[in-house]
Amino acid sequence: CKLYNNTAKSNTIIESEEMTVVTLFPTSNATDVTGLTNPNNAHDDNGVYATCAPAKNARVSSDYAGFGFDAQIPSGSVINSVKLIYEFKVSVTNSIANANIAYVTGGSHGSLNQDATEPTVDTIVTVDVTGARSWIRDDLLDATFKVHLEGHRGNSNTAVTFSFDFVKVEVNYTYTPPTGFSRGFVMG
């Protein structure tokens, strides 16, 4: 918090830096190669699933978008962290089943982050992608940002079904008001 004094009028203006964490679900999705079944079900944490049953050595995926960070993160904010979060489970534990997630910004995919734990109960996975790039607000805007979510079955003859309950993104940012901007009060 910065305190300024204007001695000519004895005004005090309080400027503050605000660190905020915002976590948002997607509002849209699109098929990427092959799509998840009922992909809209991953828009919310409600126990209703988007699913897929990839063939041997195959992937099934969807890209999620429309997170709404445009309206939540003010221009000029500094992005402190970005985390991709999803909940999933698989039907069997012997199928070489990997859940994969990656960010997409400006049409470029980040690295796939793989979870090979094969949980048979709902499991939340948080992937911190902060260090993957120098994040700026523009990277997270709806016209630019997506999350790629996929189920991948490895070299196994055992069929597996992936069930994804939700995908969401958590962004921690700091907003510093412009000089002379008051979010506090003026005394005079």
Side-chain angles (χ1 to χ4, degrees):
C1 188
K2 299 176 185 173
L3 182 65
Y4 295 93
N5 231 340
N6 181 335
T7 55
K9 295 185 178 183
S10 298
N11 292 335
T12 301
I13 300 173
I14 299 173
E15 285 186 1
S16 66
E17 292 183 0
E18 297 178 17
M19 189 177 331
T20 305
V21 176
V22 60
T23 303
L24 298 173
F25 293 93
T27 58
S28 64
N29 53 269
T31 298
D32 181 50
V33 183
T34 57
L36 300 174
T37 303
N38 299 313
N40 291 345
N41 291 345
H43 292 193
D44 199 359
D45 182 2
N46 60 5
V48 180
Y49 301 96
T51 62
C52 66
K56 182 178 179 179
N57 293 316
R59 302 170 189 271
V60 176
S61 61
S62 290
D63 285 345
Y64 288 87
F67 289 90
F69 290 114
D70 307 49
Q72 298 296 319
I73 302 174
S75 293
S77 295
V78 174
I79 306 302
N80 303 315
S81 68
V82 178
K83 296 178 182 175
L84 311 179
I85 305 165
Y86 64 101
E87 183 175 83
F88 86 110
K89 63 183 175 182
V90 295
S91 58
V92 296
T93 60
N94 59 342
S95 184
I96 312 175
N98 298 310
N100 300 322
I101 194 166
Y103 68 84
V104 181
T105 187
S108 298
H109 278 250
S111 298
L112 278 179
N113 294 276
Q114 184 179 82
D115 186 293
T117 59
E118 296 184 318
T120 57
V121 297
D122 286 336
T123 302
I124 296 174
V125 178
T126 300
V127 178
D128 189 336
V129 295
T130 306
R133 63 182 293 119
S134 295
W135 290 93
I136 60 172
R137 178 183 180 269
D138 289 356
D139 295 332
L140 300 164
L141 302 180
D142 283 348
T144 305
F145 184 72
K146 298 177 189 173
V147 173
H148 175 85
L149 185 65
E150 72 177 34
H152 174 230
R153 179 172 142 199
N155 190 22
S156 173
N157 291 324
T158 304
V160 62
T161 298
F162 290 81
S163 298
F164 295 100
D165 185 20
F166 66 81
V167 60
K168 60 185 177 179
V169 177
E170 176 187 291
V171 177
N172 176 310
Y173 67 90
T174 302
Y175 175 68
T176 304
T179 302
F181 178 79
S182 174
R183 293 188 92 165
F185 59 91
V186 176
M187 298 172 53

